[in-house]
Amino acid sequence: MGNILDIYTDFYGLNARPFAIAPDPELIYWSSAHKRAYSLLEYGIITRAPITLITGEVGSGKTVLIQHLLRAGAEDVTYGLVSNAQGGRDELLRWVLLALGQGAEPGDTYVDLYARFEEHLVAEYAAGRRVVLVFDEAQNLTAESLEEIRMFTNINTGTDELLQVVLVGLPELRERILRPGLRAIAQRVTAAFHIPPMDAATTAAYIAHRLACVGGQAPMFTPEAVAMIHDHARGVPRLTNQLCDFAMVYAFSKGSPEVDRVTVSQVLRDGVFFAGIEPAAISAEEETVRVPMFRAGRDG
């Protein structure tokens, strides 16, 4: 597989795959929406917001923003990342302590776990550091766990709060928090942002950016191809990566230095782009040349 990837990148004169699926902070594209989302994250942390909420569809770039935040770091902030925590409040505390590098014995009671957690927060505060817990995939948290998280944010010294929370998840997380039963946690959310899908121009700029990051020297996707990719990836970065990657493989297999509309259409008709789209859904209309509404794909 390594040799195949070498041929793929060498053929296009690239130093790495531009559209790998795994989140990579080195290739992050700062769309206006992602800039606003990240600014809100920073704002929430700087202003000591009890809870900051970031939502977006699957593959919208939430995780890569969190990775960038954790990598940026800060001397006076200790981050704990809790990914996909499940279970009741005891299990939640175990996940939290693990994220903060604290141990939890199998026989520990809830009281034991909570006391250890509180002691750690106080110790960090005494050392001049704030603790920020980031819950990724937070839509999987139970109502009991969300309420427990709200209670965590009540831990204070009398004048200063010792903990801040960032909740990151799918759009349904926002909907759940706004329900009457979770009104108390909704009132603790100081800042919230939803990452929308990319529009057509942003998709074109995103594709050009990813190519430039790995050494792409010329527009490798025609505007018509970019328009079709945007239509079928629905403005979702992860799906855009998948479709672009397959299109480059197909173009490479034909010895073409350019990805055109016909190549993207072939990928879609063959069904290799497995994103809930049936091959039959690709209409004959898409086999005709489309006049794009933008030319951003040919810009840097």
Side-chain angles (χ1 to χ4, degrees):
M1 180 63 72
N3 291 334
I4 293 176
L5 292 180
D6 289 342
I7 294 172
Y8 168 93
T9 54
D10 289 347
F11 179 78
Y12 290 111
L14 307 175
N15 53 52
R17 285 173 63 204
F19 301 107
I21 306 304
D24 185 350
E26 296 293 335
L27 297 182
I28 188 170
Y29 174 66
W30 291 104
S31 71
S32 59
H34 288 85
K35 287 179 182 177
R36 294 196 301 274
Y38 192 78
S39 294
L40 193 73
L41 279 171
E42 291 186 311
Y43 170 81
I45 292 169
I46 292 171
T47 60
R48 299 177 181 266
I51 300 177
T52 300
L53 175 65
I54 302 292
T55 57
E57 295 292 346
V58 174
S60 62
K62 304 181 300 296
T63 298
V64 75
L65 286 180
I66 295 304
Q67 289 180 348
H68 187 81
L69 178 71
L70 298 180
R71 287 179 61 172
E75 291 185 2
D76 63 338
V77 178
T78 296
Y79 287 104
L81 175 61
V82 182
S83 299
N84 204 21
Q86 299 181 24
R89 64 177 192 170
D90 287 19
E91 287 81 2
L92 178 67
L93 262 176
R94 291 179 184 276
W95 281 105
V96 167
L97 286 170
L98 181 64
L100 295 174
Q102 302 301 300
E105 299 299 325
D108 285 343
T109 65
Y110 173 80
V111 174
D112 295 329
L113 296 171
Y114 193 88
R116 189 171 302 125
F117 175 50
E118 195 169 34
E119 288 170 4
H120 180 68
L121 294 181
V122 172
E124 289 293 293
Y125 177 79
R129 293 185 294 269
R130 292 174 289 131
V131 175
V132 177
L133 281 177
V134 180
F135 291 86
D136 200 5
E137 302 294 347
Q139 74 279 351
N140 295 327
L141 293 168
T142 64
E144 179 188 30
S145 292
L146 287 170
E147 175 60 18
E148 186 73 3
I149 289 171
R150 182 189 71 82
M151 295 298 293
F152 290 166
T153 63
N154 288 333
I155 301 174
N156 58 67
T157 63
T159 56
D160 294 320
E161 294 176 328
L162 303 185
L163 178 71
Q164 294 173 253
V165 170
V166 176
L167 297 177
V168 184
L170 299 180
E172 52 260 39
L173 172 64
R174 186 186 188 102
E175 296 168 6
R176 284 181 61 202
I177 291 176
L178 289 173
R179 292 173 186 170
L182 290 174
R183 185 177 303 159
I185 191 171
Q187 292 177 355
R188 300 290 285 171
V189 176
T190 304
F193 188 85
H194 177 74
I195 302 173
M198 299 185 293
D199 60 20
T202 302
T203 294
Y206 173 85
I207 291 172
H209 169 80
R210 299 280 297 205
L211 288 167
C213 282
V214 296
Q217 298 298 318
M220 299 170 63
F221 287 72
T222 67
E224 295 83 4
V226 172
M228 185 175 286
I229 289 166
H230 173 73
D231 288 346
H232 289 277
R234 303 185 293 279
V236 178
R238 184 181 300 166
L239 297 183
T240 301
N241 282 2
Q242 290 178 359
L243 187 47
C244 285
D245 194 42
F246 286 133
M248 291 189 73
V249 171
Y250 269 50
F252 161 68
S253 70
K254 296 187 295 184
S256 172
E258 185 177 66
V259 175
D260 59 15
R261 167 193 51 78
V262 173
T263 301
V264 177
S265 182
Q266 289 171 337
V267 171
L268 295 168
R269 283 189 287 106
D270 287 350
V272 297
F273 176 54
F274 195 74
I277 302 173
E278 294 294 334
I282 310 305
S283 66
E285 197 173 293
E286 289 181 307
E287 292 298 326
T288 62
V289 174
R290 298 179 54 187
V291 179
M293 299 301 292
F294 56 87
R295 294 282 171 178
R298 293 192 177 277
D299 298 335

